[in-house]
Amino acid sequence: MFRNWRECLLATVHQFLYAIRRIPRKTVLLVEPQPWHGEILPGFAKYFTDLGYSVDVVVRYANYADNPFCRFDSKPNLFVFTLWGMKRLLSSSCLQKYEYVLLTSDLMYLAEYSHWARFVYLLPEVPQGRLGGSFVEHDVQLCLKRHPKILNDIGNCKRYFSQVFALTAVETVNHKVQMLNPHYFGEVSKRKELNPGKRIFVSIGRISRKTRSYDSLWGSLRELSRKCDCEVWIIGTVEERELLCDLPDCVRLLGRLSFSEMYSRLECADFLLPLLSPNVEAHRHYLHGCTSGSRQLSLGFCLPMVIQKDFADVYGFDSTNAVVYEDDADLGAAMQLAITMPPDEYADLCKSLDVMRQRVYDESLCNLKMRLEVRRC
């Protein structure tokens, strides 16, 4: 393991420059310019390997250190670049050694400038291999809002919608953005039956009102813990410490975990709590073009969610594969329903969720395959 990011950067860039001379013909390049989103990389790599491609991955050091491919037996080649190193790489002729290039995030936050920007605006064009290239938009509506010139110019508009993917299919301004959903995390144990003891719920995300309705959860748990035996694991960085005052006894704060530790916790849990509310302004973008990471985790681990109905509808969940509730006030009742659920009903829930997982996978793979075949023709 490298001692610091500089040592890692120098070593892997050197490895890349050596490897670029001997790239097998059917190889694709994945590039993640954000220092987060590492959990999506295994899923994207899976689609290409299932189509018969070898995969190289370029990331920032933060993603490399988190080891997103920890559950892979045969890991892809992983190279560390700075943001500006990526810009130079993706503007070079090296890309023509690759069959295809996928930019796994586009809209990004440049913290040093306190500014949102499209990564492709730092480049001459969307990175292209021999068969072309695409990018993944994590929040389609936000991108179009912040960059209206995409829609104001016919050429820009046509180019944008011919190259973009989204984590969930999005209908916008007379265009449909196709889904490419990365819910594969490597070899993981999928849920099939309930824990024999207390029910375990898990929620993953920054501890902030902007990301999760923790106030609603604490209130529900104080009432619920008097009647039922359960435990709630909260995984994530604390941003609003006032949310941690007077926590219910059944809550376990696990902090920020590595991917390996997080996956192990998910394998042990019974239900996933997205804790999204349509009544919270900061959550509403998850209803309009942005996909919560909880969707991918639920599919990848076949871990049923306890989810509010508006978000369930957008992401394709219903009462056959999730515990769905109407209003924030119903969260406690929904969790109680999950706690008292009979084992055979839970098994049916997981089975239906696995069917949905396969459907999402097949549609995503088909979308990617069609994109590749169009360029091949």
Side-chain angles (χ1 to χ4, degrees):
M1 189 64 183
F2 300 105
R3 289 174 295 182
N4 55 55
W5 70 269
R6 289 183 179 83
E7 185 178 293
C8 176
L9 177 68
L10 289 171
T12 60
V13 168
H14 178 78
Q15 291 166 8
F16 179 83
L17 294 174
Y18 178 81
I20 197 76
R21 306 173 197 164
R22 298 169 177 80
I23 293 176
R25 180 160 182 82
K26 205 172 181 184
T27 302
V28 300
L29 181 67
L30 306 185
V31 180
E32 176 49 65
Q34 298 274 24
W36 45 83
H37 291 325
E39 77 284 353
I40 64 178
L41 295 171
F44 289 133
K46 168 75 169 168
Y47 288 120
F48 283 105
T49 55
D50 284 357
L51 290 172
Y53 291 90
S54 299
V55 178
D56 285 352
V57 184
V58 168
V59 295
R60 306 277 289 277
Y61 177 73
N63 279 327
Y64 179 91
D66 281 340
N67 193 14
F69 292 93
C70 59
R71 293 295 185 95
F72 268 51
D73 289 332
S74 299
K75 299 181 182 181
N77 295 319
L78 204 61
F79 304 102
V80 173
F81 278 67
T82 64
L83 184 65
W84 308 112
M86 290 180 183
K87 177 182 183 298
R88 185 172 179 180
L89 166 66
L90 296 175
S91 304
S92 74
S93 60
C94 291
L95 295 192
Q96 290 307 303
K97 294 179 179 289
Y98 289 99
E99 292 286 295
Y100 201 78
V101 181
L102 180 68
L103 191 65
T104 57
S105 296
D106 180 22
L107 191 63
M108 58 183 302
Y109 185 66
L110 299 171
E112 56 268 45
Y113 302 108
S114 299
H115 178 65
W116 283 95
R118 291 191 67 205
F119 184 64
V120 295
Y121 285 167
L122 300 178
L123 309 170
E125 61 177 353
V126 173
Q128 303 284 305
R130 285 190 290 264
L131 292 179
S134 296
F135 58 92
V136 180
E137 201 70 83
H138 291 250
D139 194 331
V140 175
Q141 301 289 10
L142 179 62
C143 180
L144 297 178
K145 179 181 177 181
R146 291 182 180 276
H147 301 282
K149 68 179 182 179
I150 293 173
L151 299 178
N152 294 340
D153 179 273
I154 294 175
N156 283 342
C157 186
K158 183 178 180 181
R159 196 177 306 112
Y160 180 86
F161 286 105
S162 69
Q163 295 174 321
V164 65
F165 285 112
L167 303 187
T168 302
V170 180
E171 294 275 0
T172 181
V173 291
N174 301 319
H175 291 275
K176 181 176 181 178
V177 180
Q178 293 182 316
M179 173 175 65
L180 188 62
N181 185 274
H183 57 268
Y184 180 78
F185 302 97
E187 295 302 315
V188 302
S189 298
K190 296 183 174 66
R191 294 303 304 174
K192 293 180 181 177
E193 56 186 32
L194 290 159
N195 282 309
K198 66 177 67 174
R199 297 290 168 265
I200 298 175
F201 298 84
V202 61
S203 182
I204 298 175
R206 291 177 289 121
I207 300 177
S208 163
R209 292 181 178 88
K210 291 182 179 180
T211 56
R212 299 289 183 269
S213 293
Y214 288 110
D215 289 324
S216 176
L217 176 63
W218 304 156
S220 299
L221 287 176
R222 289 188 186 98
E223 178 67 26
L224 192 62
S225 59
R226 300 191 192 109
K227 302 182 268 187
C228 307
D229 190 15
C230 68
E231 194 165 287
V232 178
W233 296 342
I234 307 294
I235 299 173
T237 304
V238 178
E239 290 194 356
E240 295 181 43
R241 293 207 164 270
E242 61 270 24
L243 285 172
L244 307 183
C245 298
D246 194 24
L247 283 179
D249 292 338
C250 60
V251 174
R252 301 286 178 269
L253 293 175
L254 304 179
R256 187 182 185 279
L257 302 180
S258 67
F259 286 126
S260 178
E261 294 171 309
M262 183 177 77
Y263 296 162
S264 295
R265 292 287 183 172
L266 285 165
E267 288 172 324
C268 295
D270 296 302
F271 293 95
L272 182 64
L273 296 172
L275 299 178
L276 297 173
S277 169
N279 299 317
V280 178
E281 180 66 34
H283 296 185
R284 288 179 195 149
H285 69 295
Y286 289 115
L287 294 170
H288 305 287
C290 184
T291 300
S292 168
S294 294
R295 186 193 193 211
Q296 284 77 259
L297 294 173
S298 177
L299 294 173
F301 288 83
C302 280
L303 184 61
M305 287 194 287
V306 180
I307 182 171
Q308 194 276 333
K309 187 178 186 302
D310 294 359
F311 297 93
D313 290 344
V314 167
Y315 297 145
F317 295 95
D318 56 35
S319 58
T320 68
N321 52 36
V323 179
V324 181
Y325 60 95
E326 290 280 350
D327 302 311
D328 291 350
D330 300 325
L331 174 59
M335 292 179 68
Q336 184 172 353
L337 182 64
I339 291 168
T340 58
M341 183 176 291
D344 58 339
E345 189 175 326
Y346 183 80
D348 289 341
L349 211 63
C350 294
K351 191 181 298 181
S352 179
L353 187 54
D354 196 39
V355 170
M356 179 185 175
R357 177 199 61 77
Q358 189 62 50
R359 186 169 65 247
V360 169
Y361 174 82
D362 291 343
E363 181 181 337
S364 296
L365 187 69
C366 180
N367 291 338
L368 179 60
K369 188 175 180 181
M370 287 175 61
R371 193 73 62 91
L372 290 164
E373 288 176 348
V374 165
R375 293 304 297 262
R376 189 176 283 114
C377 295

